[in-house]
Amino acid sequence: MEQFKHVGVTGRHGRSEVADTLRRLVTFLESRDVTIVLDSRITDMIPNHCHPICVRDALGEHCDLVIVVGGDGSLLGAARALVDFGIPVIGVNHGRLGFLTDICPSELETLLSEVLDGQYLEENRFLLEVEVERNGQIIDEGCALNDVVLHPGRSTRIIEFELFIDGQFVYKQRSDGIIIATPTGSTAYALSGGGPIMHPALDAIVLVPMFPHMLTNRPLVISGNSEVRLVICEVDHIDPQISCDGQIHLLGHPNDSITIRKKARQLKSLHPEHHDFYDACRSKLRWNHQEHCR
């Protein structure tokens, strides 16, 4: 396993408990004699430091590992910014669920010592890229680790759109929108919409209708290599939004075509050696905590 010598540090800005953990993390990394590079947005939370600073989007140019302190939202933002650099990311959880940031602050020094010594699990997580096409021109684009969502924005009206998968017409739907999620995102918004939980190792995409007019429109799991295209129908008199991880919002218009496909570069996600997806499900989703039979 790779041992890391240049470590980037980023996290959620503005929370006192995050600041405390960031300071502990920097002190720990200093004791490990690694080069520390700080995200410029968090430097005011770590006073009197003497480490190099750069914007988050450039951490991948200077580091061989990035540690994110915050919730899953913080890691989602870091993932989109760093995926093209091919460097691994690991999270220290200061959020609610923490499916992606799975190191507890109380175990920070112990578990990160193991990671820096090369004792960790590595997973490749794919992202989705989205393009919005209008009158034959790409007018906006984005990417998402969890999900791409077509929704009405501030309007309370339903959307009518057509769905194509790999060029084949699937259906025309009237609904509040649709969630297109990766296995990583299957435990996020898609789960609350009634979608299935997918193991992170699956090469699949799930499409979850949001309050469809026809109750026979159910979640649909397709190949991870499929290309999904949504066409907003002309009858709509609203400008729906296309959200990436709930953090990037693209504006659509009637007759726009929205194409979603797997991004070529994948995210390297690190976990402690004892990480277990099903254990995470039990603890985060409050599944039965009783001991198993054998």
Side-chain angles (χ1 to χ4, degrees):
M1 290 286 190
E2 183 179 358
Q3 295 187 352
F4 307 105
K5 296 299 182 183
H6 298 82
V7 179
V9 176
T10 184
R12 181 173 178 177
H13 187 269
R15 293 178 58 181
S16 60
E17 61 269 32
V18 173
D20 292 341
T21 300
L22 283 169
R23 290 190 287 270
R24 274 182 55 205
L25 173 60
V26 169
T27 299
F28 161 73
L29 292 173
E30 289 170 342
S31 72
R32 292 291 307 222
D33 195 29
V34 299
T35 299
I36 303 167
V37 183
L38 299 179
D39 177 356
S40 58
R41 294 182 298 181
I42 64 165
T43 53
D44 62 328
M45 301 167 71
I46 310 171
N48 304 317
H49 73 85
C50 56
H51 301 292
I53 300 169
C54 73
V55 297
R56 185 185 64 179
D57 291 5
L59 284 174
E61 299 177 6
H62 308 285
C63 304
D64 47 34
L65 171 68
V66 171
I67 301 173
V68 183
V69 179
D72 285 349
S74 299
L75 196 138
L76 290 171
R80 294 193 306 272
L82 299 170
V83 61
D84 287 331
F85 294 100
I87 63 167
V89 175
I90 192 167
V92 178
N93 184 32
H94 263 295
R96 289 185 291 272
L97 282 180
F99 261 101
L100 303 177
T101 51
D102 51 11
I103 292 180
C104 293
S106 61
E107 300 178 290
L108 183 154
E109 290 86 357
T110 300
L111 294 182
L112 285 180
S113 287
E114 295 175 2
V115 170
L116 293 179
D117 289 338
Q119 301 171 38
Y120 54 83
L121 300 177
E122 180 177 313
E123 292 181 331
N124 289 323
R125 304 284 186 102
F126 73 83
L127 284 75
L128 298 173
E129 57 184 13
V130 56
E131 296 175 341
V132 181
E133 182 178 328
R134 184 175 304 156
N135 299 323
Q137 301 291 325
I138 304 298
I139 57 102
D140 217 340
E141 57 188 3
C143 69
L145 176 59
N146 266 355
D147 47 49
V148 176
V149 181
L150 174 68
H151 61 96
R154 294 184 177 181
S155 174
T156 57
R157 301 183 61 178
I158 64 174
I159 307 169
E160 186 170 344
F161 60 90
E162 295 180 337
L163 169 67
F164 297 82
I165 298 174
D166 294 328
Q168 294 183 310
F169 176 70
V170 180
Y171 54 60
K172 179 183 284 189
Q173 184 179 113
R174 289 170 57 82
S175 67
D176 281 358
I178 190 168
I179 304 165
I180 298 100
T182 65
T184 301
S186 71
T187 52
Y189 193 23
L191 181 61
S192 68
I197 294 175
M198 298 194 294
H199 192 280
L202 284 175
D203 187 7
I205 297 169
V206 64
L207 285 65
V208 182
M210 299 164 62
F211 298 100
H213 186 67
M214 296 295 294
L215 296 180
T216 51
N217 287 121
R218 310 305 300 166
L220 178 63
V221 179
I222 62 176
S223 166
N225 294 315
S226 292
E227 180 180 271
V228 177
R229 186 164 65 94
L230 307 173
V231 179
I232 303 171
C233 293
E234 191 173 6
V235 296
D236 284 339
H237 300 289
I238 63 172
D239 294 330
Q241 291 186 356
I242 304 97
S243 296
C244 300
D245 290 337
Q247 298 177 341
I248 298 175
H249 304 284
L250 315 177
L251 187 63
H253 293 308
N255 291 322
D256 281 359
S257 176
I258 302 143
T259 302
I260 302 105
R261 64 177 71 90
K262 181 191 294 183
K263 188 175 175 64
R265 295 296 296 266
Q266 295 193 341
L267 177 73
K268 293 182 180 179
S269 176
L270 301 191
H271 305 278
E273 272 195 319
H274 65 266
H275 173 74
D276 180 336
F277 173 72
Y278 301 112
D279 178 64
C281 288
R282 284 194 301 274
S283 61
K284 308 300 182 183
L285 301 179
R286 299 182 181 179
W287 287 355
N288 192 337
H289 280 64
Q290 294 179 3
E291 292 185 5
H292 54 78
C293 297
R294 64 172 75 184

